[in-house]
Amino acid sequence: MRIDIITIFPKMFAPVLNESIMLRAQDKGKVKFHIHDLRDYTSDKHRKVDDRPFGGGSGMLMQPEPIFKAVEHIKSKIKGKKSKVILLCPQGEKLTQKIAKNISKEKHIILICGHYEGVDERVREKLVDEEISIGDYVLTGGELAAMVLVDSVVRLLPGVLGDKNSLNFESFEGNLLEHPHYTRPANFRKMSVPEVLLSGDHKKIEAWRNKEALKRTRARRPDLLKSNVRKEN
Ligand code: ADE
């Protein structure tokens, strides 16, 4: 997968994308990141990317020209391949595991990190295929949201995570939160691990985990239980 990111803060990305699983995914050739400084697509000496809104009002808007130029430049580089252009902004559709999964099937995505009071509407109308928000709160810009989206998508690419089961049995798969987990020691400060997990009886353990996952989901996220089918290996 190729991921192009258009931003006014290009330096924000390396510390996140060049660590841990995102770094491993690049090393394994599963993903390639291209970070573009939006100001490189301006034509004035101040490298200006924003201006005041027509009709008045507070705040500044991102101008269409640099964004159009950046997207056109990127598309010209990947000749013929289909690209999905995604704008990160608080008005977008809220990111879910299902959306991450769908995006992980794309070969090429272009992420535009919104800023200021937003972007000129013509960017939405003509350039953007999808708008995504990472939650009902307002960030200072779309960069952190782009990183959240990238992380959630790249870990789903085949071969990025070692253990296939770690994808099958994680929160939101089958619309359930995860059951509780325990590791060594079996007794820690007078708190002991549930007996069943030490029993070696895999059928019983599986039943316990399913029950606990359901209990936890019912208590914390009953909204997820509307369609509840747990995936088997
Ligand atoms: N930009 C500002 N806030 C945002 C959010 N919640 N999601 C995506 N992009 C944003």
Side-chain angles (χ1 to χ4, degrees):
M1 185 181 212
R2 172 176 166 143
I3 302 180
D4 286 82
I5 301 173
I6 301 169
T7 170
I8 56 171
F9 294 118
K11 286 191 292 205
M12 281 179 78
F13 288 87
V16 171
L17 300 184
N18 293 337
E19 282 286 355
S20 179
I21 289 169
M22 296 302 109
L23 176 63
R24 211 167 70 198
Q26 293 179 78
D27 289 345
K28 284 181 169 175
K30 305 292 177 194
V31 68
K32 197 146 181 15
F33 299 119
H34 298 261
I35 312 297
H36 304 267
D37 185 343
L38 183 63
R39 295 187 197 281
D40 290 345
Y41 298 89
T42 54
S43 27
D44 69 306
K45 73 170 186 215
H46 301 293
R47 291 160 57 85
K48 198 162 90 82
V49 293
D50 61 327
D51 211 329
R52 288 166 293 133
F54 281 123
S58 65
M60 301 289 268
L61 288 174
M62 292 178 93
Q63 292 175 285
E65 171 126 12
I67 301 178
F68 269 73
K69 277 190 174 163
V71 170
E72 283 157 6
H73 170 79
I74 293 163
K75 284 189 171 175
S76 78
K77 292 280 167 212
I78 58 122
K79 288 177 206 112
K81 263 200 245 159
K82 243 180 72 204
S83 319
K84 176 158 272 186
V85 180
I86 299 170
L87 172 68
L88 284 308
C89 63
Q91 298 101 315
E93 187 177 0
K94 215 185 289 175
L95 181 62
T96 60
Q97 190 66 14
K98 190 167 160 211
I99 291 176
K101 225 179 223 176
N102 284 337
I103 295 175
S104 75
K105 291 172 191 147
E106 301 286 337
K107 288 272 171 287
H108 180 218
I109 59 172
I110 301 174
L111 306 182
I112 303 170
C113 304
H115 260 272
Y116 312 113
E117 294 304 304
V119 300
D120 184 286
E121 194 62 20
R122 290 163 290 190
V123 170
R124 284 206 164 81
E125 282 167 8
K126 275 280 179 306
L127 218 50
V128 167
D129 301 308
E130 226 171 283
E131 295 178 41
I132 290 182
S133 158
I134 61 161
D136 290 340
Y137 43 82
V138 181
L139 302 165
T140 54
E143 280 74 13
L144 290 171
M147 288 185 239
V148 167
L149 175 64
V150 164
D151 189 286
S152 72
V153 166
V154 170
R155 64 188 291 285
L156 295 175
L157 298 177
V160 168
L161 293 186
D163 183 0
K164 208 165 90 217
N165 288 336
S166 64
L167 279 181
N168 274 346
F169 288 106
E170 67 184 3
S171 289
F172 303 111
E173 288 300 322
N175 283 344
L176 285 181
L177 298 181
E178 277 187 64
H179 54 77
H181 299 279
Y182 297 88
T183 186
R184 266 148 282 271
N187 280 296
F188 171 68
R189 298 190 182 179
K190 294 189 183 146
M191 294 177 281
S192 52
V193 168
E195 215 39 61
V196 59
L197 297 178
L198 310 175
S199 70
D201 183 335
H202 294 291
K203 274 230 162 69
K204 264 196 192 154
I205 292 171
E206 170 90 15
W208 181 86
R209 285 178 169 166
N210 276 328
K211 194 182 80 196
E212 291 297 320
L214 203 59
K215 201 161 94 186
R216 181 158 283 190
T217 310
R218 198 170 282 134
R220 297 184 185 189
R221 294 292 306 275
D223 57 299
L224 292 176
L225 288 172
K226 278 179 236 145
S227 71
N228 172 31
V229 203
R230 185 142 203 179
K231 223 193 257 163
E232 300 297 333
N233 283 355

